[in-house]
Amino acid sequence: MNATVKKRKKIKKEEVVGVVLAAGPLLGFFIFGFIPMVLAVFMSFMKIRGFSFDGARLVGFENYRYVFTDPKFGKAMLNTLYAAVSMPVSIVCSLFIATLLNKKVAGTKVFRTILFLPYVCSVVAITTMWKWMLNTDFGIINEILKRLGVEKVPWLTDSTYFMPSMLIMGVWGGTGFGIILYSAALGNVSKSLYEAAKIDGANRRQQFFSITVPSISPTTFYLFVMGLIGALQDFVRFQIMGGDGGGPGESGLTAVFYLWRMGFKNFIVQGMGMASAVSLILAALIIIITIINFKVSKYWVHND
Amino acid sequence: MIKESKGIKAGERAAKILTFTALTAVALLILVPFYIIVITSFKHNTESMGVVFTWWPQEGFTIEGYRNVLFSDASGGGSLSTILAGFKNTLVIVVPATLLGLFVSAISAYSFAKIPFRIKNKMFSVLLATIMIPGVIMLTPSYLLYDMLGFVDTRFPLMVPGMFGSAACVFFMRQYYFGIPTDLVEAAKIDGLSHIKIFFQIMVPLSSSALIAQGVLGFVGGYNDYFGPLLYLQSPAKYTLQIALKNSVSTYGYDWQTVMSGAVIALIPTTVIYVFAQRFFIEGIATSGLKV
């Protein structure tokens, strides 16, 4: 009798201890994630001046109407999609490089160390580095082009070349992450599949496309989803490279850049309410894309 | 027969040489930009602004850029230069936030993996779902809340949220704790150890490599953060290293040797950590898919 009570008490105690110990990150999310999220919905229907609710008033869908009819928002969305082009390029490059690393030639360890390096470097440092290399008059890129007989390209000062510059930098800095994930995935592809394919007389290329690519499709899927979510929120490197104005002719004005300027720079005229509307539009887009990705992934991602 | 196997061997060798050459080319594409910033940082200013790009300083090496950035520049208003003050400010924010966040995540992961309680699965699903929520929604309301509470231009918004741990870190550590036999926990329980004691005395030593992996990733992420400090820090005395580096580009305008010296200094800590802790790094990223 006494023993069962004790046991029950102990179980009850374990229930409490388990919940308390596990709860930290959820509590953090509730305070710093959930509460702001709910607030963002309310804010998107309000006209807010500056950084306080004093004098704020409900304006219905006015903020959304403004954003959807603002040609700058359309431009920012197009710029964001343009910038996102570097993501699939990075994925293909990282798969190619990871395949090379997987062949285990001499010096693989050294190569791996070098190829992952941009991944640990700060966006500020990388952007500063490329700002110097892409400098029209003194940069190495134009110097190399000059030796090849190409005219000086105004990489960062002309609206036509600004985004291509950002794409080059994006691929350079973004490939390391994919290489790490693909290297791990390639190491896990079962050797017996290749042996079987060899016996069946499949050449290297057939092996790559019918064994390797399907086997690592979960990694490709993951990189694609994370890449897209990241690309839709891309902002920092554009602000560092192009300044608060968004680069030449606002060619580097991305969606989050547009949001940031609304809420944190033009906070009297446009303000936090409008910026919240933009953030909800973006979040909705990201969530829709994520859900579609999960549905579609059934058809081409092989999980086993 | 012999001829054929020799043919295959030669073919394999050619393929290896081709792979090696391709990897060398890609590695050079990565390394050359680093080389350029390092070499520019040691050039005299007149040379870095010269019409012809030089791969090696023709006018000799100078450490003037480093001297500017480390000692003479004090636009932050303190006794330290902007970059050094930024380095100190970064450490003050990142080290405690990373350590405490790591502890909270790890003990949460331990609970999810080893302590039986009824609402465990529900709690874990909610936690996983939070990973999917795009951070952009929190931008405006968080700022407004912090401003109303008087936390703008303090380190609070940059430190405290991280101290509650992260879902991705919990996920990674939980996987790791699944790999440690539950019998060990059961035996310790019979010996009368509390869960806190089991965590510190048994789990922490057994999971030190995973903890290092997550700690290193967290530190590098915080060290490299630019957006958070950009939003919340206003007085120059509180600027972090990344903000100081960004500002040095406008402060020094065309003084590229100084700007590049700053960039090199900012890159040294993460590069050194990365080179020495590479194994932990790759393990951490490959298993959790975490993006710094």
Side-chain angles (χ1 to χ4, degrees):
Chain A
M1 182 79 190
N2 206 4
T4 30
V5 170
K6 241 186 182 171
K7 205 177 177 192
R8 201 172 289 158
K9 227 180 179 179
K10 208 171 181 189
I11 286 169
K12 225 178 181 180
K13 200 184 155 204
E14 209 160 39
E15 286 277 329
V16 177
V17 171
V19 173
V20 169
L21 292 186
L26 272 173
L27 187 66
F29 170 76
F30 181 77
I31 302 170
F32 301 104
F34 184 73
I35 293 176
M37 249 167 63
V38 173
L39 195 60
V41 177
F42 285 106
M43 284 168 69
S44 74
F45 295 108
M46 285 172 157
K47 174 82 193 167
I48 302 165
R49 279 173 186 275
F51 304 119
S52 102
F53 285 111
D54 293 338
R57 59 193 167 82
L58 283 167
V59 290
F61 284 92
E62 175 56 29
N63 290 331
Y64 289 94
R65 196 198 58 78
Y66 179 94
V67 170
F68 279 122
T69 52
D70 184 8
K72 263 194 191 160
F73 177 68
K75 192 182 177 179
M77 289 308 291
L78 284 179
N79 284 340
T80 307
L81 290 181
Y82 189 2
V85 169
S86 67
M87 186 260 292
V89 178
S90 278
I91 292 182
V92 173
C93 288
S94 54
L95 176 55
F96 175 68
I97 295 167
T99 316
L100 292 179
L101 282 175
N102 200 38
K103 294 205 157 75
K104 312 229 158 39
V105 293
T108 293
K109 266 192 179 163
V110 179
F111 283 128
R112 199 163 46 189
T113 308
I114 295 169
L115 293 168
F116 294 173
L117 193 56
Y119 180 76
V120 294
C121 299
S122 76
V123 188
V124 183
I126 287 179
T127 313
T128 309
M129 177 193 272
W130 280 89
K131 203 171 188 172
W132 172 231
M133 291 199 295
L134 290 165
N135 187 298
T136 312
D137 297 314
F138 314 109
I140 176 79
I141 310 268
N142 273 353
E143 177 68 24
I144 292 169
L145 289 177
K146 194 173 88 190
R147 287 188 197 165
L148 298 171
V150 181
E151 288 274 306
K152 268 183 189 172
V153 178
W155 291 106
L156 301 173
T157 49
D158 186 291
S159 58
T160 321
Y161 296 107
F162 188 78
M163 196 55 95
S165 307
M166 298 307 286
L167 290 178
I168 296 170
M169 186 180 106
V171 172
W172 185 88
T175 303
F177 181 63
I179 302 176
I180 298 179
L181 291 193
Y182 273 135
S183 294
L186 287 173
N188 289 334
V189 180
S190 152
K191 297 273 179 300
S192 58
L193 286 174
Y194 293 111
E195 298 296 332
K198 255 185 218 163
I199 291 165
D200 288 347
N203 62 30
R204 292 255 163 149
R205 196 194 212 169
Q206 287 166 328
Q207 286 177 32
F208 180 75
F209 284 105
S210 49
I211 297 174
T212 313
V213 172
S215 302
I216 56 171
S217 60
T219 305
T220 309
F221 173 71
Y222 182 79
L223 284 172
F224 189 77
V225 172
M226 294 310 279
L228 205 58
I229 292 172
L232 283 173
Q233 301 182 76
D234 208 355
F235 154 60
V236 162
R237 56 197 193 100
F238 291 89
Q239 192 253 357
I240 300 166
M241 193 67 108
D244 291 357
E250 296 188 326
S251 52
L253 185 75
T254 61
V256 174
F257 206 148
Y258 172 83
L259 180 166
W260 177 73
R261 280 211 315 209
M262 267 186 160
F264 296 91
K265 290 279 149 182
N266 301 329
F267 48 80
I268 300 295
V269 183
Q270 298 182 310
M272 286 258 158
M274 256 178 215
S276 303
V278 179
S279 71
L280 280 164
I281 295 168
L282 272 177
L285 205 64
I286 290 169
I287 289 167
I288 291 169
I289 291 173
T290 312
I291 292 170
I292 293 175
N293 267 318
F294 272 103
K295 299 256 179 216
V296 174
S297 71
K298 269 186 233 146
Y299 299 103
W300 64 277
V301 175
H302 299 252
N303 282 307
D304 39 26
Chain B
M1 191 69 188
I2 293 167
K3 217 180 184 180
E4 201 189 338
S5 78
K6 249 188 184 168
I8 289 168
K9 265 192 183 154
E12 262 176 17
R13 210 169 177 194
K16 284 217 156 148
I17 291 170
L18 210 65
T19 308
F20 186 83
T21 317
L23 281 171
T24 310
V26 182
L28 279 177
L29 277 178
I30 297 296
L31 280 183
V32 164
F34 286 106
Y35 172 79
I36 286 171
I37 65 163
V38 173
I39 209 74
T40 306
S41 72
F42 285 114
K43 277 182 192 173
H44 285 281
N45 199 30
T46 45
E47 189 178 346
S48 65
M49 297 295 289
V51 191
V52 180
F53 180 86
T54 47
W55 286 97
W56 193 252
Q58 301 297 313
E59 296 171 21
F61 285 81
T62 173
I63 53 161
E64 202 190 319
Y66 289 93
R67 209 177 287 151
N68 282 342
V69 93
L70 282 178
F71 304 113
S72 53
D73 161 59
S75 48
S79 54
L80 288 171
S81 71
T82 315
I83 287 278
L84 285 180
F87 188 64
K88 194 201 81 190
N89 288 335
T90 299
L91 292 184
V92 167
I93 292 170
V94 177
V95 171
T98 307
L99 288 179
L100 202 60
L102 184 62
F103 163 71
V104 174
S105 301
I107 207 159
S108 164
Y110 165 72
S111 177
F112 278 123
K114 297 291 180 214
I115 305 178
F117 55 98
R118 260 172 293 163
I119 56 167
K120 185 194 304 211
N121 289 338
K122 274 183 197 143
M123 278 176 80
F124 195 71
S125 324
V126 175
L127 191 65
L128 268 191
T130 64
I131 298 182
M132 301 280 175
I133 295 166
V136 65
I137 326 181
M138 276 77 115
L139 223 55
T140 47
S142 302
Y143 190 89
L144 211 64
L145 286 175
Y146 285 130
D147 196 72
M148 289 192 315
L149 298 170
F151 285 133
V152 166
D153 201 27
T154 69
R155 296 183 176 113
F156 185 94
L158 305 173
M159 297 178 76
V160 178
M163 289 176 170
F164 283 84
S166 78
C169 183
V170 174
F171 186 68
F172 175 85
M173 291 308 299
R174 177 176 161 268
Q175 292 301 110
Y176 198 90
Y177 290 137
F178 276 147
I180 295 174
T182 309
D183 292 353
L184 225 60
V185 180
E186 293 301 329
K189 268 202 261 182
I190 290 165
D191 287 349
L193 255 64
S194 67
H195 279 296
I196 303 264
K197 274 196 178 149
I198 296 173
F199 175 73
F200 279 109
Q201 293 175 4
I202 300 171
M203 290 297 156
V204 170
L206 284 176
S207 60
S208 56
S209 75
L211 288 169
I212 294 172
Q214 287 300 311
V216 165
L217 279 178
F219 177 81
V220 170
Y223 179 92
N224 286 341
D225 183 29
Y226 170 75
F227 201 6
L230 173 75
L231 284 183
Y232 290 110
L233 300 179
Q234 290 160 353
S235 42
K238 295 193 185 97
Y239 281 170
T240 61
L241 181 64
Q242 302 302 331
I243 297 283
L245 178 61
K246 157 71 170 51
N247 290 345
S248 80
V249 182
S250 32
T251 312
Y252 289 98
Y254 287 101
D255 189 359
W256 282 100
Q257 128 232 43
T258 304
V259 173
M260 289 307 149
S261 305
V264 171
I265 291 168
L267 285 173
I268 288 172
T270 43
T271 311
V272 169
I273 291 175
Y274 163 66
V275 170
F276 284 101
Q278 205 191 141
R279 182 170 68 87
F280 299 113
F281 241 100
I282 292 167
E283 190 183 312
I285 298 159
T287 359
S288 65
L290 263 185
K291 212 162 190 179
V292 173

